[in-house]
Amino acid sequence: MDADKRRQLRDAFGAFMTGVTVVTTHDAQGQPIGFTANSFSSVSLDPALLLVSIDKRSANFDNFTQSGHFAINILSEQQKETSNIFAQKIADRFSLVPWRTGEYGTPLLDDSSAWFECSMHQVVDAGDHAILIGHVEAFASCGTAGLGYYRGAYFTPYQNAESLIAGPNVVVSALIESAGKALVVKGEQGYSLPAQTVSNRSVSETLTQLFSTLRIEASPGFVYSIWEDRQKKQQHIVFLCAQPTGATLPAVAQGEWVDLQSMTQLPVADSALKSLLDRFIREYAVGNYGLYYGDEAQGSVRQFFTPARQEVV
Ligand SMILES: Cc1cc2nc3c(=O)[nH]c(=O)nc-3n(C[C@H](O)[C@H](O)[C@H](O)COP(=O)(O)O)c2cc1C
């Protein structure tokens, strides 16, 4: 294939939006090694398998294909620099990032959105790459928003939303779903989502404070809904929030977990919230969420992402 065609093919592959990972293991001397990869894919749940492909030109091709274990670190939105470090020819990449050794001896990067420690299941020769198929031995998901990659550029949906939202009349709410239930709080007018006014803080500070008031371990994910309540002169922004692995249905300081099935019968404080929750229940069943634009009475929903509600592997 000539250089032009090769570039066109790369560009066409780049139309597929992905996350970004750093794949790690040790070399023969026991030194940690790793490279940035977006060719990661989940493969099978039972057995738990995943894959990533490695370029045959990689300086560590032999180390990776011959290693007994490797780890996949799914980068969070805060780790753009980490992605760049592990994609460039830098002598000691690990001196530039915080990391630790996992239970199976693989290097795990701190602050990743999720990680998987794998034993090598199979190495498949595939053109100018080899496919490393790993058997997941241990994993965790931290719930933080993952770094995106699209057409050669990073994207950070949560950070983008955060930078656009500010002001004394902005109210952020957290839609936290866990094991088919959502967290709601009871007020005088009926049920609503846990919420807090942004005031002079940033959205992430506001949400962090909200999580700490609820005493819940959660991370803000995507904007699920935006609407304006013209009567109260407030802008409402609802974030779909995730919890770390294993943190299902924790006891919360305020509010209660309500089954999504029975949520349609719940007396809800306001009509905009009622239609948001009805939509969430419908979309949860299908697994494809949309983003709402509008005011408290009318608006439109646009499909914006299909969540990883299923486990990753
Ligand atoms: C977003 C992104 C995704 C990448 N995905 C892969 C990949 O899936 N497989 C791969 O072999 N290289 C991939 N690379 C390139 C490697 O990270 C890069 O060539 C790195 O310098 C390899 O380092 P090494 O030669 O020390 O192994 C990617 C780079 C970037 C920036």
Side-chain angles (χ1 to χ4, degrees):
M1 190 186 291
D2 64 37
D4 223 28
K5 199 84 190 157
R6 199 184 149 94
R7 192 185 44 76
Q8 286 170 17
L9 181 62
R10 264 178 75 142
D11 291 350
F13 282 155
F16 184 60
M17 284 185 196
T18 65
V20 185
T21 72
V22 168
V23 192
T24 58
T25 190
H26 288 103
D27 65 13
Q29 286 71 46
Q31 292 304 309
I33 51 170
F35 68 99
T36 299
N38 69 338
S39 55
F40 164 81
S41 177
S42 58
V43 174
S44 158
L45 281 174
D46 192 10
L49 301 176
L50 54 72
L51 69 78
V52 68
S53 57
I54 179 168
D55 196 318
K56 287 183 178 164
R57 292 167 305 179
S58 161
N60 285 308
F61 183 79
D62 292 343
N63 284 319
F64 271 100
T65 49
Q66 288 161 23
S67 71
H69 287 83
F70 67 93
I72 299 281
N73 299 268
I74 309 231
L75 299 189
S76 64
E77 285 194 353
Q78 280 73 28
Q79 290 177 304
K80 259 190 246 176
E81 199 38 49
T82 304
S83 172
N84 290 333
I85 290 169
F86 283 87
Q88 288 163 18
K89 296 285 171 205
I90 293 175
D92 186 7
R93 293 166 174 160
F94 283 84
S95 65
L96 301 172
V97 295
W99 65 281
R100 62 197 185 278
T101 302
E103 197 187 331
Y104 291 82
T106 58
L108 299 178
L109 305 187
D110 293 353
D111 309 317
S112 298
S113 190
W115 55 261
F116 306 87
E117 279 199 284
C118 303
S119 54
M120 189 66 80
H121 179 74
Q122 202 180 342
V123 179
V124 181
D125 186 67
D128 54 15
H129 281 61
I131 302 167
L132 311 178
I133 303 180
H135 182 268
V136 180
E137 302 291 351
F139 69 98
S141 165
C142 315
T144 47
L147 181 61
Y149 194 70
Y150 174 61
R151 291 197 189 275
Y154 299 115
F155 65 92
T156 52
Y158 171 65
Q159 282 177 5
N160 290 4
E162 204 211 337
S163 63
L164 294 174
I165 303 164
N169 300 326
V170 177
V171 180
V172 290
S173 306
L175 177 47
I176 312 169
E177 179 275 324
S178 194
K181 293 174 194 265
L183 186 65
V184 290
V185 287
K186 197 174 178 186
E188 282 170 17
Q189 318 283 323
Y191 285 90
S192 58
L193 294 173
Q196 187 122 11
T197 307
V198 172
S199 301
N200 300 322
R201 292 166 300 203
S202 70
V203 168
S204 70
E205 282 165 351
T206 312
L207 282 168
T208 304
Q209 208 204 331
L210 181 61
F211 297 145
S212 116
T213 314
L214 295 165
R215 282 200 223 106
I216 191 172
E217 212 187 327
S219 299
F222 291 85
V223 173
Y224 185 61
S225 185
I226 302 174
W227 81 88
E228 210 153 311
D229 187 334
R230 298 213 174 106
Q231 282 172 358
K232 291 188 192 154
K233 294 195 168 44
Q234 282 180 331
Q235 189 172 29
H236 288 263
I237 296 157
V238 180
F239 280 85
L240 206 52
C241 301
Q243 287 189 268
T245 317
T248 47
L249 293 187
V252 279
Q254 286 171 24
E256 54 194 274
W257 293 100
V258 174
D259 206 288
L260 288 176
Q261 304 293 332
S262 55
M263 200 125 107
T264 43
Q265 272 92 54
L266 205 69
V268 173
D270 108 8
S271 62
L273 184 61
K274 168 85 180 128
S275 59
L276 177 147
L277 290 175
D278 287 349
R279 173 162 75 86
F280 182 71
I281 295 161
R282 281 196 314 275
E283 291 178 346
Y284 179 83
V286 184
N288 188 7
Y289 298 140
L291 172 62
Y292 178 91
Y293 296 89
D295 58 24
E296 72 281 16
Q298 58 195 10
S300 65
V301 174
R302 301 177 198 184
Q303 255 12 74
F304 81 116
F305 96 112
T306 305
R309 182 154 54 72
Q310 76 274 27
E311 288 170 52
V312 180
V313 287

